Amino acid sequence: MLKIEDLHAEAGGREILKGIDLEIGDGQTCVLFGPNGSGKSTLLAAIMGLGYCKITKGRIIYNNIDITNMPIDERAKMGIGMMMQRPPNIVGVKLKTLVQTVSKDKEKMVKRANEFRMNEFLERDINVGFSGGEIKRSELLQLTAQRPKFILLDEPESGVDLESIDLVGNKVRDLLYGDSHCDLGKNVSALVITHTGQILDHIGADHAYILKDGNIKCSGRPVDLLKDIRERGYKECIQCRMVKM
């Protein structure tokens, strides 16, 4: 579904991605680990086409179409959706309006807001005064309304309190594998950034990568990589796995 070839990208006038090669198949969920500042969020921004990220070399192929220079709205129409780590406040736009705009079944999705504990937020400006957990639930409501086929999740568990983590995790699982309301999860692919690994308690992941200093350093089974990172740290984990390759 997604193929990235020798991707180089800048953000803030500085080169962040320095030659990324990555493939994600239909229905495959991949996890991206890496220390702060390694380029994980920039990679997701490049795939989504966010304006602050400038691609300087390489290609992004989605469903056999080169989307490297395609505007963000065209990528969204093709079925790419993203949960940002900290999305911007959108003053003057109500959450209900956005959900209705991106949903094919407008009234049904508004009614389903209760499942995300977002009923009382529907008439509020998007993200204005929202807590970390409220923002995550809002983003998941929007993604569920959009029904993307390729999903980018930037730390879905960050800023979420213990009481809400199960709800967030379950709604991410529904996005990937479908729920009682639709067959959304059929052939849905995803790239998920996580630091804590908590989201892995709720979803199955097929493969994982460690991104550091703008490059993919190694890959493996998600649970194995997470265990190594926790026990050894990134530097030793990468060194050990590169020796074995």
Side-chain angles (χ1 to χ4, degrees):
M1 182 171 280
L2 184 78
K3 185 176 183 180
I4 296 174
E5 301 174 340
D6 192 28
L7 189 69
H8 295 246
E10 296 178 351
R14 184 168 62 94
E15 186 178 39
I16 305 296
L17 304 181
K18 305 173 183 178
I20 301 291
D21 292 294
L22 185 68
E23 288 191 35
I24 300 175
D26 286 357
Q28 190 174 48
T29 296
C30 292
V31 175
L32 195 60
F33 297 112
N36 291 328
S38 59
K40 302 184 301 298
S41 293
T42 301
L43 176 58
L44 266 60
I47 297 169
M48 192 70 243
L50 300 186
Y52 73 84
C53 180
K54 179 183 178 183
I55 296 173
T56 57
K57 184 181 178 183
R59 298 195 306 164
I60 302 173
I61 310 297
Y62 174 71
N63 278 341
N64 298 314
I65 298 173
D66 190 335
I67 65 169
T68 310
N69 299 306
M70 189 175 287
I72 186 172
D73 61 314
E74 291 299 323
R75 301 184 199 209
K77 289 174 184 176
M78 291 177 67
I80 302 177
M82 181 175 179
M83 171 196 275
M84 301 175 70
Q85 186 177 354
R86 181 58 178 94
N89 295 348
I90 306 178
V91 179
V93 180
K94 307 300 183 188
L95 177 59
K96 179 180 179 180
T97 302
L98 181 58
V99 169
Q100 289 179 322
T101 299
V102 300
S103 176
K104 291 182 179 179
D105 192 338
K106 305 180 188 306
E107 296 309 314
K108 182 178 180 180
M109 274 312 307
V110 169
K111 290 178 181 177
R112 289 190 62 190
N114 185 54
E115 298 172 28
F116 299 79
R117 300 213 310 262
M118 295 304 295
N119 265 1
E120 63 185 88
F121 297 87
L122 289 172
E123 297 300 332
R124 290 176 56 176
D125 289 355
I126 298 168
N127 298 330
V128 177
F130 288 20
S131 70
E134 290 161 356
I135 287 173
K136 297 298 184 186
R137 299 201 307 272
S138 173
E139 292 272 285
L140 285 169
L141 174 61
Q142 295 166 44
L143 280 175
T144 301
Q146 182 188 346
R147 300 184 65 178
K149 300 302 290 182
F150 187 86
I151 302 171
L152 303 164
L153 301 174
D154 195 345
E155 297 188 45
E157 70 271 63
S158 70
V160 180
D161 60 46
L162 291 176
E163 189 177 15
S164 299
I165 189 63
D166 283 344
L167 172 60
V168 168
N170 290 338
K171 288 305 178 185
V172 169
R173 184 184 62 210
D174 289 346
L175 273 173
L176 298 181
Y177 311 122
D179 59 20
S180 60
H181 296 275
C182 66
D183 62 349
L184 179 60
K186 212 169 186 179
N187 295 322
V188 170
S189 301
L191 181 58
V192 184
I193 293 175
T194 181
H195 278 297
T196 67
Q198 281 181 293
I199 194 65
L200 297 179
D201 293 335
H202 299 272
I203 66 172
D206 302 286
H207 205 63
Y209 300 89
I210 293 180
L211 193 154
K212 189 173 185 293
D213 300 325
N215 284 294
I216 300 289
K217 298 296 186 182
C218 60
S219 63
R221 293 179 65 241
V223 290
D224 293 341
L225 273 185
L226 181 60
K227 182 175 182 291
D228 282 356
I229 292 166
R230 284 173 171 168
E231 292 179 354
R232 307 181 183 187
Y234 281 109
K235 184 177 180 180
E236 189 175 337
C237 174
I238 291 169
Q239 287 176 342
C240 180
R241 288 183 174 269
M242 289 183 74
V243 168
K244 294 177 181 179
M245 289 173 62

